[in-house]
Amino acid sequence: SWVYIYDADDLSLLAKHNTPEVIYGAGGIAADGERFLVVGGLPDGIEENYLYEYTPDFEFVKKHTLNSGWTKLGIQTATFADGYWWFGCYGTPQTLLKADASLEEVERFEFNCSLGIVPIGENRFLVANGACSKDKGCTGRLVVATPDDRAGLVIAK
């Protein structure tokens, strides 16, 4: 597994960082201002998720175990906002995991943010959704979501 760093202006490759600790493939990355967490896939049957912590220079710090229960293929997307880690997972239903800053307390919700989640201000997120069909290919869209105590996140009206 590798993390690639690109220039946001012209998408030129700036650096590549080997992340061999992420043995099932690096799927997402998020930062809280002090550290990076790399998330990734998992085979069937594992009842927790693993988060790999790195310094800003991509030196490995430690592997965290997230007591999340099983999620299909691990975690696909991650972000840090409003004091929480937010993780999107595939499945039926799709799953949102919300963890406190220490990664100790985990909440699980039925919400689809498995294609992407990014904060856009306090208590606001852009969430990617999409679908694929054999005849038309794949489509995608961004929606605004806000936190909700019972649902995790809800699509803003």
Side-chain angles (χ1 to χ4, degrees), residues 11 14 19 23-24 27 41 45 57 90 95 104 135 138 143-145 148 156-157:
L11 297 181
L14 300 176
T19 56
I23 60 173
Y24 298 109
D57 295 325
Y90 294 146
T95 302
E104 297 294 323
D135 298 336
C138 297
V143 295
V144 175
D148 181 85
K157 303 255 185 229

Side-chain angles (χ1 to χ4, degrees), residues 69-92:
W70 178 83
T71 58
K72 183 177 182 180
L73 302 175
I75 296 173
Q76 284 67 51
T77 61
T79 198
F80 185 82
D82 303 324
Y84 294 94
W85 294 97
W86 306 79
F87 305 106
C89 308
Y90 294 146
T92 305

Side-chain angles (χ1 to χ4, degrees), residues 27-82:
I29 188 170
D32 66 0
E34 297 177 15
R35 62 187 172 168
F36 288 95
L37 291 183
V38 176
V39 300
L42 286 176
D44 247 354
I46 297 179
E47 295 292 322
E48 57 199 12
N49 277 282
Y50 305 117
L51 314 169
Y52 303 87
E53 181 180 339
Y54 294 86
T55 68
D57 295 325
F58 277 91
E59 294 174 23
F60 179 68
V61 176
K62 73 184 270 188
K63 175 181 170 181
H64 297 269
T65 299
L66 192 66
N67 294 317
S68 59
W70 178 83
T71 58
K72 183 177 182 180
L73 302 175
I75 296 173
Q76 284 67 51
T77 61
T79 198
F80 185 82
D82 303 324

Side-chain angles (χ1 to χ4, degrees), residues 27-29 39 72-79 86-91 93-97 111-118 125-133 137-143 153 155:
I29 188 170
V39 300
K72 183 177 182 180
L73 302 175
I75 296 173
Q76 284 67 51
T77 61
T79 198
W86 306 79
F87 305 106
C89 308
Y90 294 146
Q94 285 102 350
T95 302
L96 164 67
L97 303 173
F111 184 85
N112 183 11
C113 61
S114 62
L115 297 182
I117 180 171
V118 64
F125 296 87
L126 276 181
V127 173
N129 288 318
C132 293
S133 73
C138 297
T139 61
R141 66 186 182 114
L142 294 173
V143 295
L153 290 173
I155 304 298

